[in-house]
Amino acid sequence: MQLKHRLPWTRDLARATYAKWRDEPIQHRLVLLFLAVVALAARIDAMRSILRFDERTTYYDFVKQPWSYAISAYPIPNNHVFHTLLAKASIAVLGDSIWALRLPALLAGLLIVPATYVAVRMMYRSPAAIIATAIVATSREMVRYSTDARGYSIVTLAFLLLIIVGARLQEENATEGWVVFAIIAALGLWTIPLMLLPLGTVAVWLLAANVYRRQWSRMRHLALGLGLTGLLTLLLYLPIIAREGLGALTHNEFVVPSTWTTFFTELSLKGVETLDFWTVGVPHILSVVLCLGVVVAMRWHADVSRQPVDVPFAAFVWCSVFFLLNPRAPSARMWLWLIPVVA
């Protein structure tokens, strides 16, 4: 199939999304509106908490520094550059306050809720999308990182948007769609290089879908989209590379590979930490039920989904390859992006 050169691809996506929303039963729409209100109330309440250590580091070391420094300095990975620039803009417009500092993360965190519904709805029927949205709207850690002046909620939102755009590209392959895909991915990478994990997951998901459907020509389109992502990301990080060298991004103390013994030891410890992170505030029996639900969902995915491959499976494959190449166990918060789809 040839790429379609049509300008209103994003408009068509918006119209298709709205049409699916309009066709949902009124009960489902009311539930979703209620969940949106709950998500907003929970996050507004969390906005009143005091600044955490990482937030203070972000504020004093980067947000309060000149624009030229914020865009080019990377002494530690605390500089989530795209988020830093948004936070600086927010403070410049709204004044120097905790609310203004946290506003970019809050807006991204709020958008995660409807994005979860749309992304899951493009793969499953509406009850599954409602369940996932309910979990994301009320998850204690999703609420926390939606009000944490860091880039994690932006990365999670970018991941969901890539799923939405990717699912649409499987229906209608278009140049504009791949450009949008590349821009979203590049902004996610510019926020935190951690975006390599969700981006790779989406790439494996699309690759597997193309193989399953034998749409060989789309392999080239996917490669071009990822190539454009890489080029845009390189351009965005050029100020940092020019100032501090590529090693500041690729060989800092938080990303350099560890020994395999250390890796497996830390992986087991941080694996338990991640499970606690995902289920904090949830009764243990319900956590067990939810974990079993994930296993059952992966088993029956092909029978109930519009997509031949499920995203959690693609995440498992890509992350296994990634950590084989770079054995460094991730902390629990680095898996925040996966919660909506697992939900």
Side-chain angles (χ1 to χ4, degrees):
M1 182 181 294
Q2 297 296 317
L3 284 176
K4 297 181 180 179
H5 297 270
R6 295 198 310 136
L7 181 62
W9 186 89
T10 50
R11 190 184 309 166
D12 289 345
L13 173 59
R15 286 178 177 175
T17 302
Y18 175 73
K20 288 182 179 180
W21 159 263
R22 187 182 55 200
D23 292 340
E24 298 286 25
I26 184 64
Q27 299 93 329
H28 288 184
R29 283 186 280 172
L30 290 175
V31 169
L32 288 171
L33 290 174
F34 172 73
L35 290 174
V37 173
V38 170
L40 176 62
R43 285 152 178 78
I44 292 298
D45 181 66
M47 286 282 281
R48 296 183 296 180
S49 63
I50 62 173
L51 285 179
R52 305 173 185 93
F53 175 79
D54 282 345
E55 291 181 291
R56 293 196 298 270
T57 301
T58 296
Y59 176 73
Y60 288 112
D61 290 359
F62 304 109
V63 174
K64 290 299 290 182
Q65 302 304 317
W67 288 88
S68 58
Y69 183 85
I71 202 172
S72 65
Y74 206 80
I76 54 175
N78 260 58
N79 189 12
H80 298 173
V81 185
F82 183 48
H83 168 267
T84 296
L85 299 181
L86 293 176
K88 284 182 67 66
S90 177
I91 286 177
V93 173
L94 301 176
D96 201 342
S97 68
I98 293 179
W99 274 76
L101 177 66
R102 288 174 167 171
L103 184 60
L106 173 65
L107 294 178
L110 289 172
L111 289 174
I112 286 172
V113 178
T116 296
Y117 181 82
V118 175
V120 179
R121 186 68 178 91
M122 296 183 85
M123 293 182 282
Y124 303 100
R125 292 188 291 269
S126 55
I130 289 176
I131 291 172
T133 305
I135 293 174
V136 168
T138 57
S139 164
R140 179 173 170 179
E141 294 306 311
M142 291 299 297
V143 171
R144 174 189 170 183
Y145 281 96
S146 294
T147 57
D148 187 87
R150 312 281 283 122
Y152 297 105
S153 61
I154 295 175
V155 166
T156 304
L157 176 62
F159 171 57
L160 292 169
L161 293 177
L162 288 182
I163 292 176
I164 294 168
V165 171
R168 182 63 176 176
L169 283 168
Q170 291 183 60
E171 299 173 1
E172 182 182 351
N173 208 24
T175 302
E176 184 185 352
W178 286 109
V179 172
V180 171
F181 182 97
I183 292 172
I184 294 170
L187 289 176
L189 288 166
W190 199 31
T191 304
I192 318 177
L194 158 71
M195 184 69 193
L196 281 170
L197 294 180
L199 173 59
T201 293
V202 176
V204 169
W205 176 59
L206 292 174
L207 177 64
N210 290 336
V211 171
Y212 180 86
R213 292 169 173 150
R214 299 185 178 182
Q215 295 173 325
W216 310 116
S217 65
R218 296 197 179 186
M219 303 289 195
R220 179 170 58 88
H221 305 151
L222 174 60
L224 290 173
L226 294 174
L228 179 57
T229 297
L231 177 60
L232 292 175
T233 303
L234 178 62
L235 292 174
L236 290 171
Y237 273 115
L238 269 182
I240 287 176
I241 296 173
R243 178 189 178 105
E244 303 194 13
L246 185 61
L249 297 168
T250 61
H251 288 86
N252 65 70
E253 62 177 307
F254 296 96
V255 299
V256 291
S258 57
T259 65
W260 285 105
T261 301
T262 302
F263 172 71
F264 284 115
T265 301
E266 291 183 348
L267 187 65
S268 60
L269 293 174
K270 292 183 178 181
V272 173
E273 177 188 344
T274 300
L275 288 176
D276 291 339
F277 173 83
W278 282 12
T279 58
V280 65
V282 178
H284 292 304
I285 184 63
L286 182 56
S287 298
V288 173
V289 171
L290 291 174
C291 289
L292 291 175
V294 172
V295 176
V296 172
M298 294 180 69
R299 165 62 182 84
W300 294 104
H301 165 84
D303 297 329
V304 299
S305 176
R306 299 181 180 86
Q307 303 295 332
V309 180
D310 60 339
V311 177
F313 177 75
F316 174 78
V317 171
W318 167 245
C319 292
S320 298
V321 172
F322 184 88
F323 293 126
L324 182 65
L325 298 174
N326 186 70
R328 183 64 185 257
S331 59
R333 65 179 179 273
M334 295 178 68
W335 296 110
L336 187 77
W337 56 274
L338 196 55
I339 291 180
V341 182
V342 173

